Amino acid sequence: MKFGVLQFFSWPGRRNPLEVVYERALARVDTMDRTGYDAVWLAEHHFTDYSVCPSVHLMGMHIASRTQNLRIGTAVSLAALYHPLRLAEEVALLDVLSGGRVNWGAGRGFDPVEFEAFGIPPEESSERFREAVEIVVAAWSNERLDWQGKHWSFKNVEVLPKPRQAPHPPVWVAASSLPAIDWAAQQGYTIMMDPHSTHSDIAHKHNLYRETLESHGHGSETREIPMARFIALADSEAKAEEIARQGAAFTVGSYFNPSKAAGFPKKADRFVVDDQVDPIQRYLDGVAIYGTPEKVIDQLHALHEEMALNYLLCAPLSHESFELFTERVLPKFL
């Protein structure tokens, strides 16, 4: 099993200077670089204190300069918000200057606040995302690019630099909905799976993805599929549960509040299944991984069987959770 960290730059309550948020996150990255994690995966968000990292590529360059071993993932570059040629250039430049350590993850996004501010009609976001991904990969794979699509057209453009990794960095696409999973599998893209769906839902989607891959002639055996899970660890069950509960409450309040859910109601369905379900309790019952280190080890073995978990993308809900996971869980799987 491989392990990465889905790194947010959360600023809850804005209690500390923002510089402290970055310093603590970067200190965590330093620890990851020397302890056996595969990659740090940077989460891109805009106009929210849920995670103050509007440029995962700029942050990735800073991380590249202070690490030696850690791969640098984007989870995700919000491709629908970019001009795809600029996106291809930025990620390629990061790959060159990091010594070929980029894992490129691309996603559509769903926040109507972001789409409105950047002038992207939400109803176009899915097709813009898909076309942008195809353009980026084509720009990396061809000496010069000719493209005629619905949203962009280019003729004889030489996109430089080309990535250091040949033919290009490994590519993942974020896929939560069934249509997104179906599209990714048909195209042969590897997916990464979200931290908000339940374990059982992830298992179902994972099976569907592999079946669709194979039915379209794409192999599935060697693919690494990062599955993001919130984690909360402590020396007692009660304390770990409280960390998980507080983290779930912050996520519910910040990420899926009514103004965001209004833009994509189906996204909120994963969160509030019906009026009788407490969305915070839903995280505790089937989404987050929490407990003592020993219990978490047992849960990971169980999830390996339940949903074919081979790459855990950890989203620690406290610094203590990260430390305990690193010191007492990670070594059991390396």
Side-chain angles (χ1 to χ4, degrees), residues 132-179:
V133 170
E134 293 174 1
I135 290 171
V136 169
V137 174
W140 291 339
S141 304
N142 296 281
E143 182 177 347
R144 291 181 176 273
L145 179 64
D146 290 304
W147 185 269
Q148 185 64 51
K150 182 174 181 179
H151 296 284
W152 293 281
S153 61
F154 317 108
K155 187 172 180 59
N156 197 33
V157 177
E158 184 181 21
V159 176
L160 295 173
K162 292 293 190 280
R164 178 164 178 169
Q165 297 178 84
H168 54 71
V171 175
W172 284 263
V173 295
S176 299
S177 68
L178 295 181

Side-chain angles (χ1 to χ4, degrees), residues 210-290:
R210 290 189 177 277
E211 291 171 1
T212 308
L213 264 181
E214 292 168 3
S215 70
H216 284 79
H218 304 296
S220 62
E221 295 79 8
T222 60
R223 294 174 186 262
E224 294 179 347
I225 300 179
M227 298 178 179
R229 302 283 83 184
F230 290 108
I231 62 169
L233 287 83
D235 285 324
S236 73
E237 293 288 333
K239 186 175 180 182
E241 181 175 341
E242 182 56 29
I243 293 170
R245 187 175 299 278
Q246 291 177 0
F250 179 63
T251 299
V252 170
S254 299
Y255 204 63
F256 286 88
N257 59 55
S259 68
K260 298 182 188 300
F264 289 88
K266 290 183 179 179
K267 200 81 168 182
D269 289 346
R270 288 183 296 141
F271 221 15
V272 184
V273 179
D274 59 53
D275 292 339
Q276 305 303 313
V277 176
D278 177 355
I280 295 173
Q281 189 62 42
R282 175 181 174 276
Y283 270 84
L284 298 179
D285 291 342
V287 178
I289 299 171
Y290 65 94

Side-chain angles (χ1 to χ4, degrees), residues 45-125:
H45 288 275
H46 300 270
F47 321 122
T48 176
D49 57 14
Y50 179 68
S51 183
V52 188
C53 186
S55 174
V56 289
H57 314 123
L58 186 60
M59 182 63 74
M61 192 64 256
H62 186 59
I63 288 172
S65 71
R66 59 191 290 155
T67 56
Q68 298 295 320
N69 307 302
L70 200 62
R71 293 189 64 81
I72 301 162
T74 61
V76 291
S77 303
L78 293 175
L81 305 181
Y82 286 83
H83 190 292
L85 295 186
R86 181 61 181 267
L87 182 56
E89 291 174 333
E90 289 190 4
V91 179
L93 182 62
L94 175 58
D95 195 52
V96 170
L97 296 179
S98 68
R101 287 190 280 148
V102 168
N103 288 351
W104 188 52
R108 167 193 179 189
F110 77 96
D111 188 344
V113 174
E114 293 176 336
F115 291 130
E116 181 179 358
F118 286 114
I120 304 298
E123 63 274 12
E124 295 181 4
S125 61

